[in-house]
Amino acid sequence: MEEENKNPRKNWDFMIGIALVLFGSFRLYQRLQTESEWNYRVVLTVGLILYGGFLIYRHLKNKNTHED
C-alpha cells in the first residue's frame, strides 16, 4: 500500500527532472551566448541541470528494478 502512495511522487520527480534539464540547458545556452565568464549563476544553473539529471536517472533506475 505504501508503494502506491509513493508512485505519484516518483512521477512528479521525473517530470521535475525533465523540466530542470530542459529549462536549465536553455538558460545556460542563452547566458553563455551573451557572457563568456562563469559566475555563480552559471554554476547554480549547472547544479540544477545535474540535479534534474539525477532525478531522471533515479526514476529510470527504480523503474528497471521493479520490472524484474
Side-chain angles (χ1 to χ4, degrees), residues 11 16 26 41 43 48 53 68:
N11 290 336
I16 290 170
F26 180 69
R41 289 182 181 175
V43 173
L48 290 174
D68 292 340

Side-chain angles (χ1 to χ4, degrees), residues 19-30:
L20 286 174
V21 170
L22 289 177
F23 293 134
S25 298
F26 180 69
R27 183 69 181 142
L28 183 65
Y29 174 75
Q30 282 185 329

Side-chain angles (χ1 to χ4, degrees), residues 6-21 51-60 62:
K6 288 185 177 183
N7 195 20
R9 177 66 185 171
K10 289 179 185 178
N11 290 336
W12 274 107
D13 284 348
F14 181 64
M15 289 186 275
I16 290 170
I18 290 173
L20 286 174
V21 170
Y51 180 67
F54 169 72
L55 289 175
I56 294 169
Y57 170 76
R58 188 174 65 180
H59 177 79
L60 294 176
N62 287 338

